[in-house]
Coordinates of all heavy atoms in Angstrom, one line a residue:
G351 N 180.4 164.6 110.2 CA 180.6 165.8 111.0 C 180.3 165.7 112.4 O 180.2 166.7 113.2
Y352 N 180.1 164.4 112.9 CA 179.9 164.3 114.4 C 181.0 163.5 115.0 O 180.9 162.9 116.1 CB 178.5 163.6 114.6 CG 177.3 164.5 114.3 CD1 176.4 164.2 113.4 CD2 177.2 165.7 115.0 CE1 175.3 165.0 113.1 CE2 176.1 166.6 114.8 CZ 175.2 166.2 113.8 OH 174.1 167.0 113.6
A353 N 182.1 163.4 114.3 CA 183.3 162.7 114.8 C 184.4 163.7 115.0 O 185.1 163.8 116.1 CB 183.7 161.5 114.0
L354 N 184.7 164.5 114.0 CA 185.7 165.6 114.0 C 187.1 165.1 114.4 O 187.8 165.9 115.0 CB 185.2 166.7 115.0 CG 183.8 167.2 114.7 CD1 183.5 168.4 115.7 CD2 183.6 167.8 113.3
D355 N 187.4 163.9 114.0 CA 188.9 163.5 114.0 C 189.1 162.6 112.8 O 188.1 162.1 112.2 CB 189.2 162.8 115.3 CG 188.4 161.6 115.6 OD1 188.3 160.8 114.7 OD2 187.8 161.4 116.7
P356 N 190.4 162.5 112.4 CA 190.6 161.8 111.1 C 190.0 160.4 111.0 O 189.3 160.2 110.0 CB 192.2 161.7 111.1 CG 192.6 162.8 111.9 CD 191.6 163.0 113.0
E357 N 190.2 159.6 112.0 CA 189.7 158.2 111.9 C 188.1 158.2 112.0 O 187.4 157.5 111.2 CB 190.2 157.3 113.0 CG 191.4 156.5 112.6 CD 191.2 155.8 111.2 OE1 190.1 155.1 111.0 OE2 192.0 156.0 110.3
G358 N 187.6 159.0 112.9 CA 186.2 159.0 113.2 C 185.4 159.5 111.9 O 184.3 159.0 111.6
E359 N 186.0 160.5 111.2 CA 185.2 161.0 110.1 C 185.3 160.0 108.9 O 184.3 159.9 108.1 CB 185.8 162.4 109.6 CG 185.5 163.5 110.6 CD 184.0 163.9 110.5 OE1 183.5 164.1 109.4 OE2 183.3 163.9 111.6
L360 N 186.4 159.2 108.8 CA 186.4 158.1 107.8 C 185.4 157.0 108.2 O 184.7 156.5 107.3 CB 187.8 157.5 107.7 CG 188.9 158.4 107.1 CD1 190.2 157.7 107.2 CD2 188.5 158.8 105.7
R361 N 185.3 156.8 109.5 CA 184.3 155.8 110.0 C 182.9 156.3 109.6 O 182.0 155.5 109.1 CB 184.4 155.7 111.5 CG 183.3 154.8 112.2 CD 183.4 155.0 113.7 NE 182.4 154.3 114.4 CZ 181.8 154.8 115.4 NH1 182.0 156.0 115.9 NH2 180.8 154.0 116.0
A362 N 182.6 157.6 109.8 CA 181.3 158.1 109.4 C 181.0 157.9 107.9 O 179.9 157.5 107.5 CB 181.2 159.6 109.8
L363 N 182.0 158.1 107.1 CA 181.8 157.9 105.6 C 181.5 156.5 105.3 O 180.6 156.2 104.5 CB 183.1 158.3 104.8 CG 183.3 159.8 104.6 CD1 184.6 160.0 103.9 CD2 182.1 160.4 103.7
R364 N 182.2 155.6 106.0 CA 181.9 154.1 105.8 C 180.5 153.8 106.3 O 179.8 153.0 105.6 CB 183.0 153.3 106.6 CG 184.3 153.3 106.0 CD 185.3 152.2 106.5 NE 186.6 152.6 106.2 CZ 187.5 153.2 107.1 NH1 187.1 153.5 108.3 NH2 188.7 153.5 106.7
L365 N 180.1 154.4 107.4 CA 178.7 154.1 107.9 C 177.7 154.6 106.9 O 176.7 154.0 106.7 CB 178.5 154.7 109.3 CG 179.3 154.0 110.4 CD1 179.2 154.7 111.7 CD2 178.8 152.5 110.6
I366 N 178.0 155.8 106.3 CA 177.0 156.4 105.4 C 176.9 155.5 104.1 O 175.8 155.2 103.6 CB 177.4 157.8 105.0 CG1 177.3 158.7 106.2 CG2 176.5 158.3 103.9 CD1 177.8 160.1 106.0
A367 N 178.1 155.0 103.7 CA 178.1 154.0 102.5 C 177.3 152.8 102.9 O 176.6 152.2 102.0 CB 179.5 153.7 102.1
E368 N 177.4 152.3 104.1 CA 176.7 151.2 104.6 C 175.1 151.4 104.6 O 174.3 150.6 104.2 CB 177.2 150.8 106.0 CG 176.6 149.5 106.5 CD 177.0 148.2 105.7 OE1 178.0 148.3 104.9 OE2 176.2 147.2 105.8

Side-chain angles (χ1 to χ4, degrees):
Y352 290 119
L354 308 183
D355 59 49
E357 262 317 306
E359 287 291 309
L360 292 177
R361 173 190 178 220
L363 280 176
R364 289 191 196 97
L365 290 173
I366 295 170
E368 187 60 24

